Amino acid sequence: QVQLVESGGGLVQAGGSLRLSCAASGNIFSINAMGWYRQAPGKQRELVATVTSDESTNYADSVKGRFTISRDNAKNTVYLQMNSLKPEDTAVYYCNAKLQRSRWNYVRDYWGQGTQVTVSS
């Protein structure tokens, strides 16, 4: 069993900041990449940011310069620091991990349960 547990969502005014955390636990052999995706009402889930095991990062254009993703490999945890938040950042944010449960398993996607981020204008 693998679990991804997110925390840190909430309600914030435009221009404010929030920090999301996601910890992976369970039978984990290795984690290739971790990241954050979001889904707003009536829209498809979209990539926000990802970070690989060698700490290469990738960001959606809409969050570049405002959001920072980081990772603690020892804790199997990924963070998303969100600054200068805008109402259009309002969404459910989902943690993702691409990981192997053992050396004999393929890499597959695992998802957290989601955490709500609401930015008021």
Short mmCIF file of all heavy atoms in Angstrom, two decimals, residues 2-6 22-25 33-39 45-50 92-99 108-115:
data_model
loop_
_atom_site.label_atom_id
_atom_site.label_comp_id
_atom_site.label_asym_id
_atom_site.label_seq_id
_atom_site.Cartn_x
_atom_site.Cartn_y
_atom_site.Cartn_z
N VAL A 2 0.44 2.22 -0.77
CA VAL A 2 1.11 3.52 -0.81
C VAL A 2 0.07 4.59 -0.54
O VAL A 2 -1.04 4.54 -1.07
CB VAL A 2 1.77 3.76 -2.19
CG1 VAL A 2 2.30 5.19 -2.28
CG2 VAL A 2 2.89 2.76 -2.43
N GLN A 3 0.44 5.54 0.29
CA GLN A 3 -0.45 6.66 0.58
C GLN A 3 0.25 7.97 0.33
O GLN A 3 1.44 8.12 0.67
CB GLN A 3 -0.92 6.62 2.04
CG GLN A 3 -2.03 5.62 2.31
CD GLN A 3 -2.61 5.81 3.70
OE1 GLN A 3 -1.88 5.99 4.67
NE2 GLN A 3 -3.92 5.76 3.80
N LEU A 4 -0.46 8.93 -0.23
CA LEU A 4 0.00 10.30 -0.35
C LEU A 4 -0.94 11.16 0.47
O LEU A 4 -2.15 11.20 0.19
CB LEU A 4 -0.01 10.76 -1.82
CG LEU A 4 0.85 9.98 -2.81
CD1 LEU A 4 0.77 10.62 -4.19
CD2 LEU A 4 2.28 9.89 -2.34
N VAL A 5 -0.41 11.83 1.46
CA VAL A 5 -1.23 12.64 2.36
C VAL A 5 -0.84 14.10 2.21
O VAL A 5 0.31 14.48 2.45
CB VAL A 5 -1.06 12.19 3.82
CG1 VAL A 5 -1.91 13.07 4.73
CG2 VAL A 5 -1.47 10.72 3.96
N GLU A 6 -1.82 14.90 1.79
CA GLU A 6 -1.60 16.32 1.55
C GLU A 6 -2.06 17.15 2.74
O GLU A 6 -2.97 16.75 3.48
CB GLU A 6 -2.38 16.77 0.31
CG GLU A 6 -1.99 16.05 -0.96
CD GLU A 6 -3.17 15.69 -1.81
OE1 GLU A 6 -4.28 15.57 -1.25
OE2 GLU A 6 -3.00 15.53 -3.03
N CYS A 22 3.03 17.31 0.89
CA CYS A 22 2.53 15.98 0.54
C CYS A 22 3.59 14.96 0.92
O CYS A 22 4.71 15.01 0.41
CB CYS A 22 2.21 15.90 -0.94
SG CYS A 22 1.80 14.23 -1.52
N ALA A 23 3.20 14.03 1.79
CA ALA A 23 4.12 12.99 2.24
C ALA A 23 3.67 11.64 1.70
O ALA A 23 2.51 11.26 1.86
CB ALA A 23 4.17 12.95 3.76
N ALA A 24 4.61 10.93 1.09
CA ALA A 24 4.34 9.58 0.59
C ALA A 24 4.81 8.56 1.61
O ALA A 24 5.90 8.70 2.17
CB ALA A 24 5.04 9.36 -0.74
N SER A 25 4.00 7.54 1.83
CA SER A 25 4.37 6.51 2.80
C SER A 25 3.88 5.15 2.31
O SER A 25 3.05 5.05 1.42
CB SER A 25 3.76 6.82 4.17
OG SER A 25 2.35 6.82 4.11
N ALA A 33 9.58 10.98 -9.61
CA ALA A 33 9.17 12.37 -9.65
C ALA A 33 7.97 12.59 -8.75
O ALA A 33 7.18 11.66 -8.53
CB ALA A 33 8.83 12.80 -11.07
N MET A 34 7.84 13.78 -8.25
CA MET A 34 6.67 14.18 -7.48
C MET A 34 6.18 15.51 -8.02
O MET A 34 6.96 16.28 -8.60
CB MET A 34 6.99 14.30 -5.98
CG MET A 34 7.50 13.02 -5.36
SD MET A 34 7.70 13.11 -3.57
CE MET A 34 5.98 12.93 -3.03
N GLY A 35 4.91 15.76 -7.85
CA GLY A 35 4.41 17.01 -8.40
C GLY A 35 3.03 17.36 -7.88
O GLY A 35 2.44 16.64 -7.07
N TRP A 36 2.56 18.50 -8.37
CA TRP A 36 1.26 19.01 -8.01
C TRP A 36 0.45 19.29 -9.27
O TRP A 36 0.99 19.84 -10.25
CB TRP A 36 1.38 20.29 -7.20
CG TRP A 36 1.99 20.07 -5.85
CD1 TRP A 36 3.31 20.17 -5.52
CD2 TRP A 36 1.30 19.71 -4.65
NE1 TRP A 36 3.49 19.88 -4.19
CE2 TRP A 36 2.27 19.58 -3.64
CE3 TRP A 36 -0.03 19.46 -4.34
CZ2 TRP A 36 1.93 19.24 -2.33
CZ3 TRP A 36 -0.37 19.11 -3.04
CH2 TRP A 36 0.60 19.01 -2.05
N TYR A 37 -0.79 18.90 -9.23
CA TYR A 37 -1.75 19.20 -10.28
C TYR A 37 -2.95 19.88 -9.61
O TYR A 37 -3.13 19.80 -8.40
CB TYR A 37 -2.21 17.90 -10.97
CG TYR A 37 -1.11 17.23 -11.76
CD1 TYR A 37 -0.04 16.61 -11.14
CD2 TYR A 37 -1.15 17.23 -13.15
CE1 TYR A 37 0.97 16.00 -11.86
CE2 TYR A 37 -0.14 16.62 -13.89
CZ TYR A 37 0.91 16.01 -13.24
OH TYR A 37 1.90 15.41 -13.98
N ARG A 38 -3.76 20.55 -10.41
CA ARG A 38 -4.95 21.19 -9.85
C ARG A 38 -6.12 21.06 -10.80
O ARG A 38 -5.95 20.92 -12.01
CB ARG A 38 -4.68 22.66 -9.53
CG ARG A 38 -4.43 23.54 -10.73
CD ARG A 38 -4.03 24.94 -10.29
NE ARG A 38 -3.81 25.84 -11.42
CZ ARG A 38 -3.32 27.07 -11.31
NH1 ARG A 38 -2.98 27.56 -10.12
NH2 ARG A 38 -3.17 27.82 -12.39
N GLN A 39 -7.31 21.11 -10.21
CA GLN A 39 -8.54 21.03 -11.00
C GLN A 39 -9.55 22.02 -10.44
O GLN A 39 -9.97 21.91 -9.29
CB GLN A 39 -9.11 19.61 -10.96
CG GLN A 39 -10.28 19.42 -11.91
CD GLN A 39 -10.62 17.95 -12.11
OE1 GLN A 39 -10.23 17.09 -11.33
NE2 GLN A 39 -11.35 17.67 -13.17
N ARG A 45 -8.10 18.59 -15.06
CA ARG A 45 -6.94 18.64 -14.20
C ARG A 45 -5.72 19.08 -15.00
O ARG A 45 -5.51 18.61 -16.13
CB ARG A 45 -6.69 17.27 -13.57
CG ARG A 45 -5.65 17.26 -12.47
CD ARG A 45 -5.56 15.91 -11.79
NE ARG A 45 -6.80 15.54 -11.13
CZ ARG A 45 -6.91 14.49 -10.32
NH1 ARG A 45 -5.87 13.72 -10.08
NH2 ARG A 45 -8.08 14.20 -9.76
N GLU A 46 -4.93 19.98 -14.42
CA GLU A 46 -3.76 20.50 -15.13
C GLU A 46 -2.52 20.44 -14.25
O GLU A 46 -2.60 20.50 -13.02
CB GLU A 46 -4.00 21.96 -15.56
CG GLU A 46 -4.19 22.93 -14.42
CD GLU A 46 -4.36 24.38 -14.89
OE1 GLU A 46 -4.39 24.62 -16.12
OE2 GLU A 46 -4.42 25.26 -14.02
N LEU A 47 -1.38 20.35 -14.91
CA LEU A 47 -0.12 20.33 -14.20
C LEU A 47 0.18 21.70 -13.62
O LEU A 47 -0.03 22.72 -14.28
CB LEU A 47 1.00 19.92 -15.15
CG LEU A 47 2.42 19.86 -14.59
CD1 LEU A 47 3.20 18.72 -15.27
CD2 LEU A 47 3.16 21.16 -14.79
N VAL A 48 0.68 21.70 -12.38
CA VAL A 48 1.13 22.95 -11.76
C VAL A 48 2.65 22.98 -11.73
O VAL A 48 3.28 23.92 -12.23
CB VAL A 48 0.58 23.08 -10.32
CG1 VAL A 48 1.12 24.33 -9.66
CG2 VAL A 48 -0.95 23.10 -10.34
N ALA A 49 3.25 21.93 -11.15
CA ALA A 49 4.70 21.87 -11.04
C ALA A 49 5.13 20.45 -10.74
O ALA A 49 4.39 19.71 -10.09
CB ALA A 49 5.22 22.82 -9.96
N THR A 50 6.32 20.09 -11.20
CA THR A 50 6.89 18.79 -10.90
C THR A 50 8.36 18.94 -10.53
O THR A 50 9.02 19.92 -10.93
CB THR A 50 6.78 17.81 -12.08
OG1 THR A 50 7.49 18.35 -13.20
CG2 THR A 50 5.33 17.55 -12.47
N VAL A 92 -8.88 22.50 -6.51
CA VAL A 92 -8.42 21.39 -5.67
C VAL A 92 -7.04 21.00 -6.18
O VAL A 92 -6.86 20.76 -7.39
CB VAL A 92 -9.38 20.19 -5.73
CG1 VAL A 92 -8.82 19.05 -4.89
CG2 VAL A 92 -10.76 20.59 -5.24
N TYR A 93 -6.09 20.96 -5.28
CA TYR A 93 -4.70 20.64 -5.63
C TYR A 93 -4.42 19.19 -5.25
O TYR A 93 -4.66 18.78 -4.11
CB TYR A 93 -3.75 21.58 -4.92
CG TYR A 93 -3.70 22.96 -5.56
CD1 TYR A 93 -4.80 23.81 -5.50
CD2 TYR A 93 -2.57 23.38 -6.26
CE1 TYR A 93 -4.77 25.04 -6.11
CE2 TYR A 93 -2.54 24.63 -6.87
CZ TYR A 93 -3.65 25.46 -6.79
OH TYR A 93 -3.61 26.69 -7.40
N TYR A 94 -3.89 18.45 -6.21
CA TYR A 94 -3.60 17.03 -6.02
C TYR A 94 -2.11 16.77 -6.09
O TYR A 94 -1.42 17.25 -7.00
CB TYR A 94 -4.28 16.20 -7.11
CG TYR A 94 -5.79 16.23 -7.06
CD1 TYR A 94 -6.51 17.16 -7.81
CD2 TYR A 94 -6.50 15.32 -6.28
CE1 TYR A 94 -7.89 17.19 -7.78
CE2 TYR A 94 -7.88 15.35 -6.23
CZ TYR A 94 -8.56 16.28 -6.98
OH TYR A 94 -9.94 16.31 -6.94
N CYS A 95 -1.63 16.00 -5.16
CA CYS A 95 -0.25 15.55 -5.16
C CYS A 95 -0.12 14.29 -6.03
O CYS A 95 -1.02 13.43 -6.03
CB CYS A 95 0.18 15.23 -3.72
SG CYS A 95 1.82 14.55 -3.54
N ASN A 96 0.98 14.20 -6.75
CA ASN A 96 1.25 13.04 -7.60
C ASN A 96 2.66 12.53 -7.34
O ASN A 96 3.59 13.33 -7.14
CB ASN A 96 1.11 13.43 -9.07
CG ASN A 96 1.60 12.35 -10.01
OD1 ASN A 96 2.76 12.35 -10.42
ND2 ASN A 96 0.72 11.43 -10.35
N ALA A 97 2.82 11.22 -7.35
CA ALA A 97 4.15 10.62 -7.26
C ALA A 97 4.25 9.51 -8.30
O ALA A 97 3.32 8.70 -8.44
CB ALA A 97 4.39 10.05 -5.87
N LYS A 98 5.35 9.49 -9.01
CA LYS A 98 5.66 8.41 -9.96
C LYS A 98 6.70 7.53 -9.28
O LYS A 98 7.86 7.94 -9.14
CB LYS A 98 6.18 8.97 -11.27
CG LYS A 98 5.18 9.93 -11.94
CD LYS A 98 5.68 10.44 -13.27
CE LYS A 98 4.75 11.50 -13.84
NZ LYS A 98 3.37 11.02 -14.00
N LEU A 99 6.28 6.37 -8.84
CA LEU A 99 7.15 5.58 -7.99
C LEU A 99 7.07 4.09 -8.27
O LEU A 99 6.14 3.61 -8.94
CB LEU A 99 6.83 5.87 -6.51
CG LEU A 99 5.44 5.51 -5.98
CD1 LEU A 99 5.36 4.05 -5.55
CD2 LEU A 99 5.06 6.41 -4.81
N ARG A 108 4.63 3.67 -11.59
CA ARG A 108 3.24 4.04 -11.86
C ARG A 108 2.87 5.27 -11.05
O ARG A 108 3.58 5.67 -10.13
CB ARG A 108 2.27 2.89 -11.56
CG ARG A 108 2.35 2.30 -10.19
CD ARG A 108 1.14 1.47 -9.86
NE ARG A 108 -0.05 2.31 -9.67
CZ ARG A 108 -1.17 1.86 -9.15
NH1 ARG A 108 -1.30 0.60 -8.81
NH2 ARG A 108 -2.20 2.66 -8.99
N ASP A 109 1.72 5.84 -11.42
CA ASP A 109 1.26 7.06 -10.78
C ASP A 109 0.44 6.76 -9.53
O ASP A 109 -0.41 5.87 -9.53
CB ASP A 109 0.37 7.87 -11.73
CG ASP A 109 1.17 8.61 -12.77
OD1 ASP A 109 2.05 9.39 -12.38
OD2 ASP A 109 0.91 8.41 -13.97
N TYR A 110 0.69 7.56 -8.50
CA TYR A 110 -0.13 7.54 -7.30
C TYR A 110 -0.59 8.97 -7.02
O TYR A 110 0.14 9.93 -7.30
CB TYR A 110 0.65 6.99 -6.10
CG TYR A 110 0.92 5.52 -6.19
CD1 TYR A 110 2.01 5.04 -6.92
CD2 TYR A 110 0.08 4.59 -5.59
CE1 TYR A 110 2.26 3.69 -7.02
CE2 TYR A 110 0.32 3.23 -5.69
CZ TYR A 110 1.41 2.78 -6.41
OH TYR A 110 1.65 1.43 -6.53
N TRP A 111 -1.80 9.08 -6.46
CA TRP A 111 -2.40 10.39 -6.24
C TRP A 111 -2.87 10.57 -4.79
O TRP A 111 -3.30 9.60 -4.15
CB TRP A 111 -3.62 10.57 -7.16
CG TRP A 111 -3.28 10.61 -8.60
CD1 TRP A 111 -3.21 9.56 -9.47
CD2 TRP A 111 -2.94 11.77 -9.36
NE1 TRP A 111 -2.86 10.00 -10.73
CE2 TRP A 111 -2.68 11.35 -10.69
CE3 TRP A 111 -2.82 13.13 -9.06
CZ2 TRP A 111 -2.31 12.24 -11.70
CZ3 TRP A 111 -2.46 14.00 -10.07
CH2 TRP A 111 -2.21 13.57 -11.37
N GLY A 112 -2.77 11.80 -4.32
CA GLY A 112 -3.36 12.14 -3.04
C GLY A 112 -4.85 12.40 -3.18
O GLY A 112 -5.40 12.38 -4.29
N GLN A 113 -5.48 12.68 -2.05
CA GLN A 113 -6.93 12.86 -2.05
C GLN A 113 -7.35 14.26 -2.48
O GLN A 113 -8.52 14.49 -2.77
CB GLN A 113 -7.48 12.55 -0.65
CG GLN A 113 -7.32 13.66 0.39
CD GLN A 113 -5.91 13.80 0.92
OE1 GLN A 113 -5.00 13.03 0.56
NE2 GLN A 113 -5.69 14.76 1.82
N GLY A 114 -6.42 15.18 -2.52
CA GLY A 114 -6.71 16.55 -2.92
C GLY A 114 -6.91 17.47 -1.73
O GLY A 114 -7.43 17.05 -0.69
N THR A 115 -6.50 18.71 -1.89
CA THR A 115 -6.70 19.73 -0.87
C THR A 115 -7.20 21.00 -1.54
O THR A 115 -6.69 21.40 -2.58
CB THR A 115 -5.42 19.97 -0.06
OG1 THR A 115 -5.68 20.88 1.01
CG2 THR A 115 -4.29 20.53 -0.93
#
